[in-house]
């Protein structure tokens, strides 16, 4: 008896309610999807990738967000952010699984937008926005890594003469090495280490806050919100944008693409791993940091551990915390480099050649190195990039992670307008759009306020 064709096999699987094999789709993959988004991972690996993409050093800014919100609103926004982001990511995963069962497995965010909303959405909106968000994250983590290295240097040599841009360049070397790992899947062990590092520096941040808060050196605590009505109003929206961006991901389809078929149910398990770490880190750092420093919480919590150049916690503790932070910043940056890697390999690699042939290795080495060099150069030139990143976050993370998932779900499954699900999804999308616009306005206002301090290659 002859064997059935892959297409016939897929039809039988579909009739049985199972997911088709990836055979037909795999034969059409370009080099970017075939090499970078290699579908070989388990749900555990997916959990590592998700954790690294969400639980990043940006969480150390959460006490600063609380300073503009106060206890009640801060805890409410943090909790709502966790619930809605977890919900949105599961909706996005459900849409991907649904289309995979129909034989169209989406490996990239822009593929989803093109297939569900039309080709122009993928080409002119989702694709550019995603690349801006992801490359912005790469630049931001290069800057953060350089700042952590400078902090460590000044602990050892308080009067040292090295500048911030020199440390950013040094940090870029670590980026260069990690960026050469060939596929997203090959980062799985690196991202396991990243998960442990995120728990480590979050524990250090919380422990340091409790230590300072209970010491005689503790600053006077004031939990009132500073400023006049306008400043407080903009502060609230800016804080909400910080919290939403901290929960941001922007690469859920690319992470789900690393799963070995069938993917059904695996993303939910990965998200459970991720959000166990999210709850442990986000809430412990937010509550302990705001409790210890109140409305004086700095943009990065560890900055509160130094007053007038003198540490409020032991130097070895500060050193350890910053080492954990800079190491994890490198892994987060490399994770967000993957969409760029995928596009570059799609254009310059040859899928008919072996991934490790000279024909594919040389362009990979050249273009990935160029991407890292550009990112670290921007970070060194623009040490105020955090202000710019706030705009990118408002226009990027909020639409990608809170607006599009519910729209994709409603368009794909078409829930009845008589069901609460439809209106809940609609409400999430409308509120997120409003927050994105207001957050962008607040970010532009902050840039205008800080503009007088901007200069290239500043040593901040």
């Amino acid at each position: 008896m002859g064997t059935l064709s892959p297409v016939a096999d897929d039809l039988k699987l579909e009739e049985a309610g199972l997911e088709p094999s990836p055979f037909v789709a795999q034969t059409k993959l370009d080099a970017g999807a075939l090499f970078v988004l290699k579908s070989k991972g388990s749900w555990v690996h997916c959990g590592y990738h998700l954790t690294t993409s969400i639980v990043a050093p940006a969480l150390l800014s959460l006490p600063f967000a609380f300073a503009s919100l106060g206890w009640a609103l801060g805890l409410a926004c943090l909790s709502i952010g966790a619930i809605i982001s977890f919900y949105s990511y599961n909706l996005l995963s459900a849409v991907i699984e649904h289309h995979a069962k129909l034989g169209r497995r989406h490996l990239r965010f822009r593929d989803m937008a093109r297939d569900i909303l039309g080709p122009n959405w993928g080409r002119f909106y989702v694709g550019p926005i995603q690349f801006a968000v992801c490359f912005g994250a790469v630049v931001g983590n290069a800057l953060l890594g350089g700042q952590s290295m400078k902090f460590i240097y000044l602990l050892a040599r308080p009067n040292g003469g090295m500048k911030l841009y020199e440390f950013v360049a040094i940090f870029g070397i670590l980026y260069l090495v990690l960026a050469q790992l060939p596929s997203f899947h090959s980062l799985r062990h690196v991202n396991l280490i990243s998960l442990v590092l995120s728990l480590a520096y979050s524990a250090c941040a919380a422990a340091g806050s409790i230590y300072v808060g209970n010491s005689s050196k503790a600053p006077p605590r004031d939990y009132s919100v500073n400023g006049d009505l306008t400043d407080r109003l903009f502060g609230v929206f800016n804080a909400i944008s910080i919290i939403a961006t901290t929960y941001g991901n922007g690469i859920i389809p690319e992470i789900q693409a690393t799963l070995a078929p069938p993917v059904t149910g695996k993303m939910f398990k990965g998200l459970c791993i991720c959000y166990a770490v999210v709850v442990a880190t986000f809430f412990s750092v937010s509550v302990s940091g705001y409790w210890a420093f109140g409305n004086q919480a700095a943009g990065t919590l560890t900055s509160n551990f130094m007053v007038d150049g003198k540490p409020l916690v032991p130097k070895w503790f500060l050193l350890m915390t910053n080492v954990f932070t800079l190491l994890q910043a490198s892994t987060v940056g490399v994770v967000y480099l993957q969409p760029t890697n995928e596009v570059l390999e799609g254009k310059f690699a040859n899928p008919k050649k072996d991934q490790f042939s000279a024909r594919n290795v040389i362009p990979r080495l050249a273009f990935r190195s160029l991407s890292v060099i550009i990112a670290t150069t921007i970070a060194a030139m623009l040490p105020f990039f955090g202000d710019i990143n706030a705009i990118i976050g408002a226009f990027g993370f909020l639409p990608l992670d809170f607006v599009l998932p519910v729209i994709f779900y409603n368009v794909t499954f078409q829930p009845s307008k008589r069901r609460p699900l439809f209106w809940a999804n609609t409400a999430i999308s409308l509120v997120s759009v409003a927050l994105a616009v207001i957050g962008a306005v607040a970010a532009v206002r902050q840039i205008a306020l800080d503009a007088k301090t901007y200069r290239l290659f500043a040593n901040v």
Side-chain angles (χ1 to χ4, degrees), residues 55-134:
V55 187
L59 71 89
L60 297 175
S61 66
L62 289 173
F64 173 73
F66 268 51
S68 297
L69 298 170
W71 277 117
L73 190 55
L75 286 169
C77 289
L78 196 66
S79 301
I80 292 169
I83 294 168
I84 293 180
S85 60
F86 182 80
Y87 173 72
S88 295
Y89 297 149
N90 274 291
L91 289 187
L92 205 57
S93 176
V95 172
I96 295 172
E97 290 180 5
H98 172 77
H99 286 282
K101 290 178 180 178
L102 300 178
R104 300 188 305 275
R105 186 178 180 192
H106 296 135
L107 302 180
R108 295 166 285 218
F109 220 132
R110 61 187 185 277
D111 294 342
M112 293 188 71
R114 182 183 64 241
D115 200 24
I116 297 171
L117 301 180
N120 289 337
W121 281 90
R123 184 180 302 113
F124 299 115
Y125 181 73
V126 173
I129 288 292
Q130 186 191 35
F131 292 136
V133 166
C134 290

Side-chain angles (χ1 to χ4, degrees), residues 348-399:
F348 298 107
N350 185 348
K352 297 179 181 179
K353 299 285 186 180
D354 184 77
Q355 183 181 11
F356 300 104
S357 65
R359 166 63 183 81
N360 288 329
V361 168
I362 293 172
R364 180 188 310 136
L365 180 64
F367 287 106
R368 291 191 183 190
S369 298
L370 181 62
S371 295
V372 171
I373 291 169
I374 291 172
T376 51
T377 301
I378 294 172
M381 287 178 61
L382 308 174
F384 47 84
F385 188 76
D387 285 356
I388 300 172
N389 224 17
I391 296 179
I392 296 174
F395 277 124
F397 279 122
L398 278 165

Side-chain angles (χ1 to χ4, degrees), residues 121-409:
W121 281 90
R123 184 180 302 113
F124 299 115
Y125 181 73
V126 173
I129 288 292
Q130 186 191 35
F131 292 136
V133 166
C134 290
F135 203 71
V138 176
V139 174
N141 279 282
L143 178 58
L144 178 61
Q147 289 172 334
S148 295
M149 293 183 75
K150 181 186 174 185
F151 192 96
I152 293 169
Y153 170 74
L154 291 177
L155 281 176
R157 298 184 60 184
N159 298 316
M162 290 185 69
K163 308 299 184 183
L164 175 61
Y165 60 82
E166 296 175 275
F167 291 107
V168 173
I170 294 169
F171 183 79
I173 297 172
L174 178 57
Y175 251 176
L176 275 174
V177 174
L178 290 176
Q180 305 310 323
L181 290 170
S183 68
F184 206 154
H185 178 64
S186 65
L187 289 171
R188 63 195 183 281
H189 301 306
V190 173
N191 286 342
L192 170 59
I193 296 171
S194 172
L195 186 156
V196 175
L197 288 170
S198 67
L199 290 170
Y201 68 70
S202 297
C204 288
S209 298
I210 294 170
Y211 175 85
V212 173
N214 285 317
S215 73
S216 58
K217 303 175 184 177
R221 296 191 191 106
D222 183 358
Y223 300 117
S224 61
V225 179
N226 291 329
D228 58 25
L229 181 61
T230 301
D231 288 337
R232 287 160 59 184
L233 187 61
F234 274 106
V236 167
F237 289 122
N238 189 53
I240 292 172
S241 294
I242 289 172
I243 292 173
T245 302
T246 305
Y247 280 111
N249 180 283
I251 51 174
I252 288 290
E254 286 79 3
I255 291 176
Q256 189 152 336
T258 66
L259 287 167
V263 301
T264 303
K266 292 179 180 178
M267 194 67 168
F268 176 76
K269 294 178 182 178
L271 281 166
C272 287
I273 291 178
C274 173
Y275 272 76
V277 179
V278 163
V279 171
T281 55
F282 283 33
F283 282 84
S284 63
V285 169
S286 300
V287 172
S288 63
Y290 186 55
W291 170 79
F293 303 106
N295 58 20
Q296 299 305 309
T300 300
L301 179 58
T302 50
S303 299
N304 284 112
F305 296 162
M306 296 280 288
V307 174
D308 298 326
K310 297 179 180 179
L312 300 180
V313 295
K315 282 189 176 182
W316 64 264
F317 185 85
L318 278 176
L319 172 65
M320 179 176 65
T321 304
N322 277 275
V323 168
F324 291 154
T325 302
L326 76 88
L327 288 176
Q328 209 240 356
S330 66
T331 64
V332 174
V334 172
V335 163
Y336 279 100
L337 197 60
Q338 297 310 305
T340 302
N341 292 345
E342 183 268 320
V343 169
L344 290 173
E345 296 220 7
K347 290 185 178 297
F348 298 107
N350 185 348
K352 297 179 181 179
K353 299 285 186 180
D354 184 77
Q355 183 181 11
F356 300 104
S357 65
R359 166 63 183 81
N360 288 329
V361 168
I362 293 172
R364 180 188 310 136
L365 180 64
F367 287 106
R368 291 191 183 190
S369 298
L370 181 62
S371 295
V372 171
I373 291 169
I374 291 172
T376 51
T377 301
I378 294 172
M381 287 178 61
L382 308 174
F384 47 84
F385 188 76
D387 285 356
I388 300 172
N389 224 17
I391 296 179
I392 296 174
F395 277 124
F397 279 122
L398 278 165
L400 290 178
D401 297 323
F402 296 94
V403 179
L404 286 175
V406 295
I407 291 175
F408 286 168
Y409 187 91

